[in-house]
Amino acid sequence: NAGVTQTPKFQVLKTGQSMTLQCAQDMNHEYMSWYRQDPGMGLRLIHYSVGAGITDQGEVPNGYNVSRSTTEDFPLRLLSAAPSQTSVYFCASSYSRRASEQYFGPGTRLTVT
Amino acid sequence: AQSVAQPEDQVNVAEGNPLTVKCTYSVSGNPYLFWYVQYPNRGLQFLLKYITGDNLVKGSYGFEAEFNKSQTSFHLKKPSALVSDSALYFCAVRYHGSGNTGKLIFGQGTTLQVKP
């Protein structure tokens, strides 16, 4: 049971480039989400999904797209990278949306130059 | 607006002493409250949660937290700190009004430093 996995661990992009951050979980969780972590700001929700084929925006969705074609995978796409997207990105999953704790992946450290 | 506050950026304690990391929240309705710990260059790990019932919740690694509805607080405690407890601690809340999002609202985090 690998839990929540994320790739890559580190990435450097140039402004304007696009890329996809991968996230997968093997716990059959219905709920998955993406957060970004910035110093002094805690974690902020980017996008979330309540099941395969269902996604919605969080509090900071601009510049990011997601899709959920399977229960296991929830990739995050940066459409045109900007320096403001330099951050650490965490994927998380949980059994339900309410009372269940979320399990976090190890994170992707992204730098946009 | 819904919010979580961790009033201390850093808490310093000596090994063997009790520790408290403070958290207060402001949400509408009944909250679900969580504590997570983050070690350097790692993801967040779940410590404990309060959903309903007994106000004193026990979690991993000897940590516990007390839910106080009147003071809207959920402070994290441990009777005897270890050097290995040094890490970044996050309080988070999910509330009934969050609808489908399941969104966790995080505090800014508190760095716990335990000195030998």
Side-chain angles (χ1 to χ4, degrees):
Chain A
N1 192 335
V4 180
T5 58
Q6 291 182 239
T7 56
K9 290 188 176 181
F10 303 94
Q11 184 70 49
V12 179
L13 291 178
K14 294 185 177 179
T15 297
Q17 288 184 318
S18 62
M19 79 159 295
T20 299
L21 307 184
Q22 301 292 343
C23 173
Q25 53 90 10
D26 60 359
M27 297 173 282
N28 200 32
H29 286 168
E30 66 167 18
Y31 181 86
M32 297 186 73
S33 55
W34 277 100
Y35 292 88
R36 59 177 290 173
Q37 183 181 28
D38 301 294
M41 302 187 72
L43 281 80
R44 294 179 291 169
L45 182 67
I46 304 172
H47 284 284
Y48 67 95
S49 168
V50 299
I54 307 170
T55 65
D56 207 343
Q57 298 179 352
E59 60 182 316
V60 288
N62 292 340
Y64 308 95
N65 272 356
V66 291
S67 60
R68 184 108 178 259
S69 56
T70 67
T71 299
E72 294 79 19
D73 300 301
F74 190 44
L76 177 72
R77 283 184 289 278
L78 279 70
L79 309 173
S80 178
S84 60
Q85 293 179 305
T86 294
S87 187
V88 181
Y89 291 85
F90 289 101
C91 179
S93 74
S94 64
Y95 178 72
S96 75
R97 284 164 274 162
R98 297 288 177 81
S100 299
E101 61 272 21
Q102 292 194 6
Y103 293 83
F104 285 80
T108 295
R109 186 173 295 274
L110 175 68
T111 301
V112 182
T113 61
Chain B
Q2 324 297 332
S3 65
V4 176
Q6 293 179 241
E8 301 154 318
D9 290 335
Q10 182 158 328
V11 171
N12 298 309
V13 298
E15 189 174 31
N17 283 359
L19 69 88
T20 299
V21 182
K22 295 180 180 178
C23 171
T24 59
Y25 64 91
S26 175
V27 299
S28 55
N30 294 322
Y32 296 141
L33 294 154
F34 302 82
W35 274 102
Y36 288 86
V37 60
Q38 185 179 30
Y39 297 100
N41 300 313
R42 303 286 295 275
L44 278 71
Q45 296 178 29
F46 169 74
L47 278 180
L48 50 78
K49 66 181 178 183
Y50 172 81
I51 303 300
T52 188
D54 194 346
N55 289 343
L56 184 63
V57 178
K58 294 187 183 297
S60 305
Y61 312 120
F63 284 94
E64 58 188 29
E66 186 167 11
F67 171 63
N68 188 317
K69 188 173 184 177
S70 62
Q71 296 187 5
T72 61
S73 67
F74 190 55
H75 301 330
L76 181 70
K77 300 181 179 183
K78 188 173 182 181
S80 178
L82 300 173
V83 173
S84 57
D85 292 330
S86 298
L88 182 59
Y89 290 80
F90 287 100
C91 180
V93 65
R94 187 183 283 144
Y95 60 105
H96 288 261
S98 62
N100 282 337
T101 71
K103 171 183 172 179
L104 276 173
I105 302 172
F106 283 88
Q108 292 97 325
T110 298
T111 297
L112 174 65
Q113 190 76 257
V114 181
K115 298 187 177 179

